[in-house]
Amino acid sequence: MERVELTNINFKKIKILKKSTISKVFLLDEKEVVKVYNSSYLKGINRRITLERKIQASSTIKLKELVLPKKIVLINGNFAGYTMEYIKGKSYLDIAIAPYRNLDLINKEYLEIEKIIKKFHKEGIIVPDLLNLTNIIVTEEGLRFIDYDGMQIRDNKASSVSKILKKDIRHSSTIKYCNHLGLYTEELDKKSLLILYILITFNNLINDINMDNNRFEKIDKLLEELNISQEDKLKEIINKAYNPRNDIKNEYLEEAVKEIGKKYVLTKDRKLSRRKDENNPYK
């Protein structure tokens, strides 16, 4: 992978697109951005080596949906970050929290995200922070995922995980979210997808994603309000999504979502109502 020295750039004069406790993303030009890690973050034992190894692994990945590193950035000869394509679009979070949304559209969006995650899995990529919807960008060409370095890339460990999943990981017994090497498994992404579907369908406060302390109260209230029958597939999905001790194997939701789409529409107050006709895009 190409290396580029950026020592002479005055980053104070460059537009910041995004910043966190460990890094900043700067706009270099209309086609390229650069992610620069804080010097304090890179002081960790072997952190520079680990990050550079993960970034170099991107050269063997062919996924148009994933925004990949382009060049390794050096400052004063030392690894400092990487450049990537500048993606113009809208955060999926901004779309998902809209007050009223059509269930058919929500289902299509969810199925597209699940399809991409399945492609990632074939490449050995896990997205532990999938529920951070600011990392999904809606463009004219389709969905694009950013935050490559936060993901688990084959045997390169993830650096971030959605807060709501930490309790599930701690309580996992039959379902293994980590293997013997400490790497996350596909089961974790399947759990994320379960939660994601419920959140984008019913929860218009999705930006308050950490529900560790009150998730059970929310789900009890949701089930009561929706009046979902015991045998309904949606009830099973909700229970799996919110119960950290649930030992029922997680699953991809393609068929279940299509089944839900045949039965229901979403009202303006985000409650389910039975379809009055069978004309829908999921037959």
Side-chain angles (χ1 to χ4, degrees):
M1 180 176 285
E2 183 181 350
R3 295 166 179 264
V4 57
E5 179 71 53
L6 296 184
T7 302
N8 295 327
I9 290 183
N10 186 351
F11 285 102
K12 292 182 180 180
K13 295 183 178 181
I14 300 178
K15 182 179 180 180
I16 297 177
L17 297 177
K18 190 175 183 180
K19 62 181 178 179
S20 69
T21 56
I22 66 170
S23 66
K24 294 183 179 72
V25 178
F26 299 90
L27 179 64
L28 285 181
D29 54 47
E30 288 302 307
K31 294 184 178 180
E32 195 170 36
V33 300
V34 57
K35 186 170 191 174
V36 178
Y37 297 102
N38 299 339
S39 57
S40 58
Y41 178 70
L42 292 176
K43 288 180 180 178
I45 299 174
N46 296 325
R47 189 162 280 160
R48 289 181 190 269
I49 297 172
T50 301
L51 280 169
E52 187 170 349
R53 178 175 178 265
K54 178 186 276 191
I55 291 163
Q56 287 177 329
S58 68
S59 61
T60 62
I61 297 172
K62 308 296 181 185
L63 288 168
K64 66 178 182 178
E65 297 88 355
L66 179 57
V67 180
L68 297 166
K70 294 173 63 178
K71 304 171 187 175
I72 289 176
V73 168
L74 305 176
I75 294 180
N76 295 321
N78 296 315
F79 170 82
Y82 63 92
T83 67
M84 54 189 154
E85 176 188 359
Y86 176 44
I87 303 299
K88 293 182 179 180
K90 191 172 185 179
S91 162
Y92 183 57
L93 175 63
D94 294 335
I95 295 171
I97 63 175
Y100 169 68
R101 307 206 61 226
N102 180 283
L103 184 60
D104 291 343
L105 183 58
I106 290 171
N107 287 349
K108 284 183 178 180
E109 291 168 356
Y110 170 82
L111 291 172
E112 181 60 26
I113 292 172
E114 182 179 288
K115 180 181 177 181
I116 293 171
I117 294 300
K118 287 177 180 177
K119 291 176 71 173
F120 284 7
H121 289 171
K122 288 181 179 179
E123 288 281 349
I125 297 172
I126 306 295
V127 191
D129 202 16
L130 176 61
L131 295 173
N132 180 359
L133 300 187
T134 60
N135 289 333
I136 303 176
I137 307 299
V138 182
T139 74
E140 292 181 356
E141 293 76 32
L143 300 180
R144 302 290 301 278
F145 282 66
I146 59 175
D147 195 37
Y148 168 90
D149 54 316
M151 301 176 186
Q152 179 175 293
I153 310 297
R154 296 167 184 151
D155 62 344
N156 296 282
K157 292 185 177 182
S159 62
S160 58
V161 59
S162 301
K163 291 180 180 179
I164 196 172
L165 294 176
K166 291 181 179 179
K167 197 169 186 178
D168 301 82
I169 295 169
R170 289 197 302 270
H171 289 301
S172 63
S173 53
T174 305
I175 299 171
K176 300 299 181 185
Y177 294 119
C178 293
N179 64 19
H180 66 287
L181 297 175
L183 296 169
Y184 294 121
T185 67
E186 293 179 6
E187 290 297 325
L188 191 67
D189 280 351
K190 291 178 184 178
K191 181 73 172 186
S192 293
L193 288 168
L194 284 163
I195 298 171
L196 174 67
Y197 183 68
I198 300 305
L199 286 173
I200 65 176
T201 304
F202 302 113
N203 188 357
N204 61 359
L205 297 176
I206 193 172
N207 52 338
D208 183 21
I209 204 74
N210 181 12
M211 300 187 297
D212 276 5
N213 295 325
N214 63 350
R215 58 202 292 193
F216 292 109
E217 290 84 351
K218 284 194 174 185
I219 199 58
D220 287 343
K221 184 178 179 181
L222 178 62
L223 288 170
E224 181 180 345
E225 289 179 352
L226 295 176
N227 194 26
I228 297 173
S229 62
Q230 291 294 321
E231 69 276 5
D232 199 296
K233 185 67 177 177
L234 185 57
K235 185 177 189 301
E236 180 184 335
I237 292 173
I238 292 172
N239 282 333
K240 285 183 180 181
Y242 281 83
N243 188 350
R245 295 183 180 276
N246 200 326
D247 290 336
I248 302 173
K249 192 172 179 63
N250 296 322
E251 60 184 312
Y252 294 116
L253 295 181
E254 181 178 357
E255 294 306 316
V257 167
K258 289 179 179 179
E259 181 182 321
I260 292 165
K262 289 178 180 179
K263 288 183 178 180
Y264 298 108
V265 293
L266 202 61
T267 63
K268 289 186 177 182
D269 56 354
R270 288 217 178 201
K271 295 182 181 179
L272 291 178
S273 177
R274 284 278 182 173
R275 279 188 180 273
K276 295 180 180 179
D277 61 76
E278 296 296 321
N279 296 318
N280 61 79
Y282 299 100
K283 294 181 71 175

